[in-house]
Amino acid sequence: MPAFGFYHPALMIDLKHLRDNPEHYKLGAARKASNVDIDRLLTLDAQKRQSMTEMENLRAQQRVIEKEAGPQIGKLAGAIKKADGAEKAKLEAELEALKAKPAALKSQIQQHDERLAALEPEINALLLQVPLPPDADVPVGKGSEDNVEIRRWAPSWFDPSKAFEANKGFKAKSHIDLVSTLKLADFERGVKLGGTRHYLLTGDGMRLQQAVLRFAFDTMIEKHGFTPVYVPVIVREETMIGTGFFPQGREQAYHIEESKRGGGHDAFLTGTGEVGLMGIHMNEILDESSFPLKYCTVSTCFRREAGAAGKDTAGLYRIHQFEKVEQVVITRADEAESRDWHKKMISYVEGLLQALELPYRLLQCCTGDLGPKNADMVDIECWMPSRGTGGEYGETHSASRLYDYQCRRLNIRYRSGDKGTVVCHSLNNTVAASPRILIPILEMYQNIDGTVTVPKVLRPYMGGKEKIG
RNA sequence: GGUGGGGUGGCAGAGCGGUUGAAUGCGCCAGACUUGAAAUCUGGUUGUGGCAACAGUCACACGGGGGUUCGAAUCCCCCCCCCACCGCCA
């Protein structure tokens, strides 16, 4: 593996493709409500290439002169040491003349070099902001309100089109009430320790979380053949940029300013295990025969929730720290294969939710709801009886299809016989995020007497326990 | 935290001011031999970018950035990373 080097700026997006298809990228940016100035980027890029071509020609001249003059300079310098008087002065003049030739070129080269240095920061900043255009089959829309439902599923014993009470014969309590009476979580002490949006999970609350995570993790490893990995959650900025979370998502991540303490480098806390998993092969050239790489991790996730002030302030829905089982697939650059994996990764989650017997629906996210790095995204939402009035679906999973956008930034490639080195494709999807997933579990499995039945598949992870409370 | 040693092509590992984009070995690809395979032999095999895009051609890159020099993988400065030993420690 190469030692850590900064990503190559040209690897941020496929610049060649952008030059050939500017309208495609402009339309893509517009549909994602990005205001990146692609025309400006193209202008600067053209200037840069022109300057580069001129500079390279000068360099080539310089190299020719060097090869001719170099040995002569060496000889003259030797002769000067031995000579004296008029002879010495003459030789010195010759030497100066020889040296002057490449020196003239050098100053011209330097001018181009300075021009390039002046252009590059703006070009790079623009390049980093160009989003991956959404796929043509992604519905155009402004935000989450324009997302399109794909399908629903519910266990035979629950019909989400009817109220909870009609299904179960009593009024649903919210998970906030349930965790309070059953002593599964402690918000006051969480806030005392960590501030707003912090919490403790206690007793069977903690145990239930461990059970879901372990069930989800084991399913991915044992049933679907994913490779289990434990990854850093404290990473360098390059990793955040490479995975596509920065620069746009910078405000969302906790920043550890180690450089201000005089040592090392700054670090950021990751908001998802995806960062660690995708970072594994940063700056590597992989063997095509190793594909697909299927990684799964469980990690603590940190999110500042900047811009979400006042939203979902109560309960376990939106918090700063949580646990998540995440799946990631890296594969060869093939659209059909990418699409196929996307479907598979979603089906793994459906299998899991069906095993847990939680009603859910699949949402095709519209263009306005996609992040910069997604060509396509499908959200999975679980039914949460206490949300809104009479229950609502709430997001619990998100499955992204990224083409080569992320691998390009991370510089992850493979050798392909006829096409040389090729940038890989990557995909990711949540497997289970807790405690958010505890909301539908607790609320759906609550009983009229205030107890909560433990879902069958989780009982082996709860010491056989069937009921909480 | 202290002291010392290092970062070179897919991997291992030479080179330590000029013709070295880089020896050698491994791996990989093609060919020869073979009924086939192995072994052996021969040749090929870094990446990125610009221009042309059939072939090609030019430039840049020896952790990253800057400097010295006519010329740097080789010398100097800053940064990042790794390793060894000591100290501390979940």
Side-chain angles (χ1 to χ4, degrees):
Chain A
M1 188 185 111
F4 193 86
F6 211 64
Y7 51 87
H8 196 288
L11 288 170
M12 291 164 189
I13 54 148
D14 191 340
L15 189 51
K16 276 185 193 164
H17 192 255
L18 185 142
R19 278 181 207 134
D20 295 339
N21 308 278
E23 294 310 318
H24 176 60
Y25 283 85
K26 282 185 205 170
L27 182 65
R31 285 186 170 167
K32 281 190 172 181
S34 158
N35 55 6
V36 62
D37 191 342
I38 289 175
D39 283 323
R40 173 83 179 147
L41 174 61
L42 288 169
T43 306
L44 294 173
D45 175 56
Q47 287 176 19
K48 177 187 163 183
R49 281 184 295 154
Q50 196 204 340
S51 213
M52 267 179 74
T53 305
E54 286 170 29
M55 184 171 83
E56 282 174 11
N57 288 337
L58 291 169
R59 276 232 169 90
Q61 287 180 48
Q62 188 191 31
R63 288 192 64 153
V64 170
I65 293 171
E66 268 165 24
K67 275 194 179 167
E68 285 172 357
Q72 293 180 50
I73 288 172
K75 268 188 209 165
L76 272 174
I80 286 171
K81 276 184 192 161
K82 290 176 200 159
D84 52 9
E87 180 65 13
K88 189 174 178 182
K90 190 189 152 208
L91 290 174
E92 272 172 352
E94 268 181 53
L95 183 64
E96 285 314 307
L98 269 176
K99 282 190 179 178
K101 267 184 162 182
L105 285 172
K106 202 177 168 183
S107 76
Q108 285 184 56
I109 290 170
Q110 221 152 31
Q111 279 176 30
H112 282 292
D113 208 33
E114 279 161 22
R115 224 165 90 192
L116 286 171
L119 287 169
E120 248 148 37
E122 192 181 348
I123 291 177
N124 289 348
L126 284 167
L127 275 170
L128 276 175
Q129 288 169 49
V130 178
L132 181 66
D135 265 348
D137 55 358
V138 172
V140 176
K142 282 199 158 61
S144 55
E145 67 280 6
D146 295 322
N147 293 345
V148 179
E149 186 172 306
I150 299 171
R151 63 171 171 270
R152 297 182 179 200
W153 182 90
S156 57
W157 53 268
F158 196 91
D159 179 359
S161 69
K162 291 188 210 152
F164 182 92
E165 195 167 358
N167 272 285
K168 303 254 286 188
F170 63 96
K171 205 162 180 289
K173 286 184 187 168
S174 82
H175 76 278
I176 299 172
D177 294 333
L178 290 166
V179 297
S180 158
T181 50
L182 296 171
K183 298 198 179 348
L184 304 179
D186 184 337
F187 294 105
E188 276 143 47
R189 291 198 173 101
V191 171
K192 175 175 77 177
L193 288 174
T196 175
R197 292 194 196 281
H198 285 278
Y199 59 98
L200 277 63
L201 292 180
T202 54
D204 282 333
M206 174 56 173
R207 212 169 179 202
L208 188 63
Q209 162 157 289
Q210 293 298 308
V212 190
L213 294 172
R214 191 59 198 271
F215 171 60
F217 189 68
D218 286 357
T219 301
M220 294 307 289
I221 308 312
E222 291 165 10
K223 197 169 166 190
H224 303 306
F226 276 63
T227 305
V229 193
Y230 180 72
V231 295
V233 295
I234 305 170
V235 302
R236 8 171 111 257
E237 186 165 14
E238 288 90 323
T239 314
M240 296 301 280
I241 294 172
T243 46
F245 286 92
F246 283 11
Q248 282 89 339
R250 215 165 189 281
E251 290 309 306
Q252 199 54 236
Y254 286 101
H255 184 181
I256 304 170
E257 296 183 284
E258 280 298 292
S259 60
K260 280 199 173 164
R261 307 173 74 180
H265 52 85
D266 282 10
F268 295 84
L269 297 182
T270 59
T272 165
E274 175 194 341
V275 177
L277 290 177
M278 285 307 303
I280 295 173
H281 295 295
M282 176 162 52
N283 291 323
E284 289 183 29
I285 298 179
L286 302 169
D287 191 344
E288 187 173 5
S289 65
S290 64
F291 293 138
L293 294 168
K294 303 189 287 179
Y295 292 128
C296 184
T297 192
V298 49
S299 70
T300 307
C301 306
F302 304 91
R303 299 191 182 179
R304 290 183 70 223
E305 295 301 343
K311 206 172 158 189
D312 309 306
T313 47
L316 296 170
Y317 192 82
R318 193 178 297 278
I319 66 259
H320 288 307
Q321 177 189 324
F322 58 97
E323 300 295 309
K324 182 151 70 77
V325 181
E326 179 79 5
Q327 53 174 325
V328 143
V329 169
I330 301 174
T331 186
R332 57 177 67 76
D334 182 278
E335 179 176 346
E337 212 167 312
S338 271
R339 284 180 179 271
D340 193 43
W341 272 111
H342 196 222
K343 289 200 182 89
K344 278 188 199 159
M345 292 166 82
I346 290 167
S347 78
Y348 299 156
V349 170
E350 290 194 72
L352 209 73
L353 293 175
Q354 289 176 16
L356 285 166
E357 299 184 48
L358 296 176
Y360 66 83
R361 68 172 180 176
L362 265 56
L363 276 188
Q364 171 61 60
C365 293
C366 73
T367 56
D369 210 24
L370 300 183
K373 61 196 173 84
N374 304 332
D376 175 18
M377 188 163 86
V378 171
D379 279 356
I380 299 174
E381 300 186 334
C382 285
W383 182 252
M384 301 181 183
S386 75
R387 251 179 113 68
T389 49
E392 268 177 13
Y393 284 99
E395 183 189 330
T396 50
H397 300 72
S398 191
S400 294
R401 198 156 58 75
L402 317 168
Y403 288 125
D404 64 359
Y405 182 86
Q406 198 170 38
C407 289
R408 190 175 294 279
R409 287 179 163 232
L410 284 164
N411 197 18
I412 304 175
R413 296 165 295 165
Y414 65 95
R415 283 182 207 287
S416 169
D418 48 340
K419 282 181 277 181
T421 55
V422 181
V423 180
C424 311
H425 280 192
S426 69
L427 302 104
N428 63 76
N429 189 7
T430 318
V431 181
S434 183
R436 191 179 275 192
I437 192 72
L438 299 186
I439 297 170
I441 292 176
L442 292 171
E443 294 183 358
M444 288 297 300
Y445 278 85
Q446 64 181 299
N447 302 309
I448 191 161
D449 62 357
T451 62
V452 170
T453 301
V454 177
K456 280 194 200 70
V457 292
L458 299 185
R459 289 177 196 169
Y461 297 95
M462 296 273 292
K465 193 163 198 160
E466 293 181 14
K467 200 185 266 188
I468 296 171

